[in-house]
Amino acid sequence: VWGPHVVRLIGLRSRPIFPFAGQSEWLRPDSRGRFSYDFMSTPDTQIEEVDLSGTLINHNGLENLVNQNKLQTLSLPGCPEVDDWFLARLHVFGESLLELDLSHCSRITVGGLTALQNLRKLKRLDISGLPQLQNPGLVWILLEEILPHCRVTGAEYEQGLIQPDSQEQTEDHHEASTHTGLRHL
């Protein structure tokens, strides 16, 4: 069971939560905002896409999805409990996950993002609005290195790279040329 808070929050959502593999229909809450989880006990049930936007899902709740070896898309924008431990557990989807949205998950750090290296098939990653990423340009370089086939959004190469302003650059150049001139005397 996902816990009463998560079910309640999911039930308040107006859009669908997840479709089964090979079907276009999404599982939706009933009129009281609740789901029947009977489908989870069927051994051949496979989920392709899960949208948990804004829910209280955490690394413990992720345990309910680890047997979904066909999961291709996981959307977690604005999930306040998604953290580095959660990201470390995503390795179980290394052979299936193609898209991951971590935007606005406030507890994710650069250390947690390195755990994504195990998601070998990942094609799209959204890390927009992660407040703990101090230097998005360097994060982009790191992610490009560990996920070479993945399109990363939310961090650009130029963002946050240290660039001296033109006055400091001119002073440094002048000082270097003065010292060079003294060496030749």
Side-chain angles (χ1 to χ4, degrees):
V1 184
W2 294 43
H5 298 290
V6 176
V7 173
R8 188 167 39 86
L9 287 173
I10 290 174
L12 293 174
R13 297 169 44 85
S14 60
R15 62 184 196 216
I17 303 304
F18 46 85
F20 293 105
Q23 296 183 10
S24 60
E25 291 296 312
W26 286 68
L27 180 67
R28 297 175 185 269
D30 64 17
S31 61
R32 295 185 330 206
R34 297 195 179 145
F35 290 96
S36 169
Y37 290 100
D38 295 339
F39 70 90
M40 294 297 276
S41 60
T42 308
D44 57 349
T45 299
Q46 291 295 312
I47 299 172
E48 292 181 333
E49 188 171 347
V50 176
D51 183 358
L52 295 168
S53 303
T55 65
L56 296 175
I57 186 76
N58 62 23
H59 68 279
N60 292 322
L62 185 62
E63 197 63 35
N64 293 293
L65 293 174
V66 296
N67 292 327
Q68 297 300 320
N69 59 7
K70 301 257 192 262
L71 186 64
Q72 295 177 6
T73 302
L74 184 57
S75 297
L76 303 162
C79 291
E81 298 298 318
V82 170
D83 59 9
D84 295 348
W85 287 103
F86 187 97
L87 298 185
R89 188 69 176 120
L90 291 178
H91 71 88
V92 299
F93 305 115
E95 295 302 318
S96 66
L97 200 62
L98 301 174
E99 297 182 25
L100 179 61
D101 185 347
L102 300 171
S103 60
H104 306 284
C105 292
S106 61
R107 298 179 66 194
I108 293 175
T109 69
V110 175
L113 291 175
T114 62
L116 300 180
Q117 68 185 333
N118 298 309
L119 302 177
R120 293 178 283 284
K121 295 193 174 192
L122 199 63
K123 299 288 180 214
R124 190 185 77 75
L125 173 65
D126 188 346
I127 58 168
S128 305
L130 300 184
Q132 294 198 44
L133 299 186
Q134 302 282 322
N135 209 326
L138 294 177
V139 171
W140 184 86
I141 292 169
L142 168 74
L143 291 171
E144 184 181 60
E145 185 69 27
I146 65 174
L147 298 168
H149 303 293
C150 184
R151 191 180 105 231
V152 178
T153 56
E156 304 302 327
Y157 176 73
E158 296 84 13
Q159 260 184 312
L161 293 178
I162 300 170
Q163 298 175 354
D165 69 349
S166 58
Q167 185 178 1
E168 287 178 15
Q169 209 171 21
T170 305
E171 289 173 7
D172 290 344
H173 176 70
H174 175 63
E175 190 175 312
S177 63
T178 303
H179 289 300
T180 305
L182 290 175
R183 272 190 247 142
H184 292 316
L185 290 176

